[in-house]
Amino acid sequence: MSADESPLAYRLITGPDDKSFCERISEALAEGYVLHGGPAVTFNGTSVICAQALILPQAIAVSDAAVATAVDELDAELEFDGEGIA
C-alpha cells in the first residue's frame, strides 16, 4: 500500500482453507484489523473455502459515534413538549 492510500475499513478475505489463507488473516491482524464475526466455510466439491470479515477498530468507533449522533438528533426532534395526547 502506498503512503497516500488509506487502509480499507472493511475487508473480506476468501480462499481455500490452507496455510496461505491463515497467513493472509494473520497479516491483516498484524496490520491492526480485528475479526468481524466468525468465518464462513463452504465446500466447492474439491476443497473447503473460507471467508473471514475483518474491520479496523477505528471504523467501529466512527460508526458507533455516527449512530449515537443520529439517535441524539432523533431524540431532540421527538422531545415531548408537555402538550398533546394524554
Side-chain angles (χ1 to χ4, degrees):
M1 180 181 323
S2 70
D4 58 5
E5 291 181 32
S6 59
L8 298 172
Y10 172 88
R11 291 174 61 185
L12 180 66
I13 297 178
T14 61
D17 184 17
D18 59 12
K19 182 178 179 179
S20 173
F21 178 80
C22 294
E23 288 171 343
R24 291 167 56 208
I25 298 297
S26 295
E27 181 180 308
L29 293 172
E31 293 172 356
Y33 284 88
V34 294
L35 300 176
H36 184 64
V41 295
T42 190
F43 185 70
N44 69 2
T46 306
S47 58
V48 174
I49 304 298
C50 295
Q52 177 63 60
L54 300 116
I55 55 177
L56 288 173
Q58 55 266 43
I60 296 169
V62 169
S63 175
D64 287 350
V67 169
T69 299
V71 168
D72 289 346
E73 289 173 357
L74 282 173
D75 284 346
E77 291 176 14
L78 299 175
E79 281 187 15
F80 183 65
D81 64 5
E83 296 181 16
I85 299 174

